[in-house]
Amino acid sequence: MNDHIEVQQIAKKAMEAARAALHPGQTLAEVRKDCEASLLELGADSFWYWGIGAFVFAGSGTIRSDSGRHYETPDYVLGEQELLTLDLSPQRRGIWGDFARTLVIQDGVPLQDPLDSSNAEWRSGILMERHLHAQLCELVVPSMTFEELARTMNERILDLGYENLDFLGNLGHSIGARSSDRVYIEPGNQARLDSVEYFTFEPHIRRPNGCFGYKHEDIYYFNGGRLVAI
């Protein structure tokens, strides 16, 4: 457990460093480069997802859902008002971290809490992500299957006026030693949630036909039958 906590802390600290350094005129390539350097400086020894430590999108590009196999950092320069998604994949001694957030620049300043944005549309999407994670912790029990969780949460996303943007339609995956060993929160997966030690929940959502996507990812595990985020 301590190894998983430590690697996830690397991701969280790198995320905060990246957020604080955001500024108009910065390219997404620079954001990625600085973030990956930060992950390594903080103790990661590699990046587990296709060798990429930071997936960065901004503006209307936040609706994109790409496989890491094909990801290229978008050619984009940050402006005074921006919505970004940043997804980090550090690894240390074979232990994965996985952490994503939606960030906001307002009037040229990166907001510490994106819910402080004056953009009502952005606030709504960010708040919905937090609501979905709160709902997850309320409804999940160890005996629930990955398929049951996928069905329940996808129904809630639709009922709340959003859609799942993931290119495979899933909502998260197990944390393992090899990418090929992952199992997903998706239809057809009859495995129980407690059949794995850790799994992510990472809904990638938008309003139907909306121009902006939102993402919030944490790693979860069961402690005494209760779901807890690392």
Side-chain angles (χ1 to χ4, degrees):
M1 166 59 71
N2 287 339
D3 287 341
H4 287 275
I5 291 174
E6 290 172 3
V7 177
Q8 193 70 341
Q9 282 297 317
I10 289 172
K12 292 179 179 181
K13 289 176 181 178
M15 179 71 72
E16 174 53 24
R19 180 206 63 78
L22 293 173
H23 60 271
Q26 190 178 21
T27 68
L28 296 193
E30 290 170 336
V31 175
R32 174 183 171 183
K33 179 181 177 181
D34 292 347
C35 207
E36 291 182 339
S38 181
L39 289 168
L40 295 172
E41 289 169 3
L42 288 164
D45 56 35
S46 56
F47 310 128
W48 66 266
Y49 190 52
W50 297 105
I52 298 171
F55 292 81
V56 193
F57 297 98
S60 61
T62 55
I63 67 173
R64 287 177 50 188
S65 177
D66 296 347
S67 166
R69 184 196 299 266
H70 307 296
Y71 176 76
E72 294 183 2
T73 309
D75 183 11
Y76 189 100
V77 179
L78 296 177
E80 294 283 324
Q81 318 294 333
E82 293 287 358
L83 182 87
L84 305 88
T85 56
L86 185 55
D87 194 340
L88 307 183
S89 306
Q91 179 173 243
R92 187 175 68 183
R93 296 193 297 273
I95 302 296
W96 300 354
D98 211 355
F99 188 70
R101 289 294 187 269
T102 293
L103 306 173
V104 171
I105 297 174
Q106 181 168 293
D107 298 329
V109 178
L111 298 181
Q112 186 167 14
D113 185 347
L115 279 180
D116 290 335
S117 171
S118 60
N119 186 310
E121 179 183 359
W122 294 356
R123 285 200 314 273
S124 178
I126 293 161
L127 188 62
M128 186 55 59
E129 285 283 359
R130 297 186 187 184
H131 174 72
L132 290 170
H133 278 260
Q135 289 285 297
L136 174 82
C137 293
E138 289 182 9
L139 72 90
V140 163
V141 294
S143 61
M144 179 178 279
T145 67
F146 284 90
E147 179 176 57
E148 289 171 335
L149 179 56
R151 182 178 64 251
T152 299
M153 297 309 292
N154 274 317
E155 287 174 354
R156 294 195 178 196
I157 289 169
L158 289 174
D159 289 344
L160 292 165
Y162 286 80
E163 62 181 349
N164 182 357
L165 288 172
D166 186 83
F167 72 99
L168 293 175
N170 67 59
L171 293 166
H173 57 82
S174 62
I175 293 292
R178 297 184 304 176
S179 293
S180 59
D181 292 336
R182 284 178 297 167
V183 297
Y184 296 89
I185 304 173
E186 64 180 351
N189 185 355
Q190 294 293 324
R192 287 170 47 132
L193 295 176
D194 64 357
S195 68
V196 302
E197 283 191 271
Y198 306 97
F199 64 90
T200 70
F201 184 62
E202 49 180 308
H204 183 195
I205 62 172
R206 72 166 175 179
R207 291 283 191 188
N209 300 314
C211 294
F212 300 100
Y214 309 91
K215 195 170 189 182
H216 184 113
E217 177 182 28
D218 283 315
I219 295 175
Y220 288 92
Y221 69 100
F222 286 105
N223 184 2
R226 182 185 176 193
L227 197 64
V228 179
I230 293 179

